[in-house]
Amino acid sequence: MRRPIIAGNWKMNKTKVEARELASRLRRDLHDVFDRDIVLCPPFTVLFAVWSEIEGSQIEMGAQNMVWEGPGAYTGEICGEMIKETGCQYVILGHSERRQYFKETDAIINKKLLKAFFYRLNPIVCVGETLKERESGRETEVVSAQIEGCFAGLSEEAMVKTVVAYEPVWAIGTGRTATPEQANEMHEYIRTVIAKLFGKDCAEKVRIQYGGSVKPDNVDEIMAQPDIDGALVGGASLKPEPFARIVRFENI
Ligand code: PEP
């Protein structure tokens, strides 16, 4: 049985005051939810502030990126050691916005992933095809290549701790979601690729989140799919009511 995991990716939003307000409100509104993992992923600048609001609760925290190196001469970057110190247990790697705007490749994401484990951070690794790739029928080819590239050299033990986020790029921030069946089909496929690389037992344990315009009104249907173990939520994680409702998805 895979434990559901709902994560909110705040992207480049929230001042310190706003972040504290959102985090404290979520702590209050979700105080009774213990049967699923809840992860807030604020920007670097407010990680300490958010942690001060949620420390001691069941809510966990993740960063949105990290460098593949330890401390040193990497002006403008943030390393795993620093992220760990803020209170984070997770780090998002390879989000499509980082692949698109900052030219992150699977090889770079792989280096970051191995470093994340060194600092005992659980990675949430994003994969997903663009609209053009889906329209040309290449979505499985693209996603399997991302998985092979991102997870190269990983032990089975580390793979089990890794969360995969399937985020079709065409569904991010567009209001356009993959149908629950379309999403589940890809999740099932991802599990077969992981089984081929790490064994069936490992693939059955890996949690695969769906991301792409998840909202209160579609989360129940999405979470009802057998291979969908959670959601990575962007826009709808910026306000307490919709995010709390998404966390409280109902089993239908
Ligand atoms: C995301 O960026 O990870 C995401 C899923 O965004 P949204 O929910 O806004 O589509």
Side-chain angles (χ1 to χ4, degrees):
M1 193 60 184
R2 297 180 293 267
R3 184 174 161 89
I5 173 164
I6 307 290
N9 174 12
W10 296 4
K11 308 195 183 189
M12 198 172 68
N13 292 290
K14 302 296 175 191
T15 61
K16 189 162 115 182
V17 170
E18 291 165 348
R20 290 188 75 139
E21 204 176 297
L22 178 56
S24 72
R25 193 44 211 283
L26 288 170
R27 180 180 188 157
R28 211 170 55 234
D29 293 357
L30 295 171
H31 71 277
D32 56 339
V33 182
F34 289 101
D35 61 345
R36 53 204 67 183
D37 290 339
I38 308 166
V39 186
L40 307 183
C41 303
F44 291 135
T45 47
V46 297
L47 286 171
F48 279 116
V50 168
W51 186 246
S52 70
E53 296 296 336
I54 60 174
E55 190 173 7
S57 77
Q58 86 287 29
I59 300 178
E60 297 178 292
M61 192 169 73
Q64 298 172 18
N65 181 32
M66 61 174 267
V67 75
W68 58 83
E69 270 299 340
Y74 284 83
T75 304
E77 288 293 338
I78 305 277
C79 72
E81 186 182 63
M82 296 163 168
I83 290 170
K84 189 73 188 176
E85 190 188 36
T86 65
C88 283
Q89 295 83 9
Y90 290 88
V91 60
I92 299 174
L93 297 176
H95 190 279
S96 62
E97 287 151 14
R98 297 221 50 91
R99 292 175 186 260
Q100 187 185 348
Y101 304 131
F102 303 98
K103 307 293 169 234
E104 282 193 14
T105 61
D106 295 328
I108 292 174
I109 297 160
N110 178 248
K111 286 208 288 182
K112 292 184 174 193
L113 179 76
L114 298 173
K115 212 56 174 181
F117 278 110
F118 179 79
Y119 288 112
R120 297 184 192 284
L121 288 161
N122 297 316
I124 298 176
V125 179
C126 305
V127 297
E129 80 285 0
T130 62
L131 185 59
K132 199 162 149 214
E133 288 160 347
R134 178 161 280 259
E135 281 176 346
S136 58
R138 295 178 51 231
E139 66 271 21
T140 50
E141 182 194 323
V142 167
V143 170
S144 69
Q146 289 173 336
I147 291 175
E148 283 176 29
C150 291
F151 302 143
L154 210 61
S155 67
E156 191 186 320
E157 194 193 345
M159 188 65 225
V160 169
K161 290 187 191 144
T162 301
V163 177
V164 180
Y166 169 58
E167 300 206 304
V169 180
W170 47 273
I172 296 179
T174 58
R176 204 176 142 177
T177 18
T179 64
E181 294 75 22
Q182 248 175 348
N184 193 65
E185 210 173 284
M186 183 60 92
H187 282 226
E188 220 181 302
Y189 176 72
I190 290 172
R191 227 176 275 291
T192 63
V193 177
I194 296 172
K196 200 177 74 194
L197 298 171
F198 297 93
K200 203 167 178 317
D201 195 45
C202 172
E204 280 307 311
K205 290 183 188 147
V206 171
R207 295 184 293 177
I208 309 175
Q209 294 178 307
Y210 171 76
S213 299
V214 175
K215 303 273 182 289
D217 61 3
N218 60 20
V219 67
D220 299 342
E221 251 191 304
I222 291 169
M223 290 303 297
Q225 297 295 319
D227 276 292
I228 300 185
D229 309 311
L232 182 54
V233 186
S237 71
L238 295 174
K239 289 202 175 123
E241 299 85 359
F243 188 65
R245 171 62 184 87
I246 290 170
V247 168
R248 289 181 186 278
F249 71 85
E250 284 165 21
N251 295 311
I252 55 173

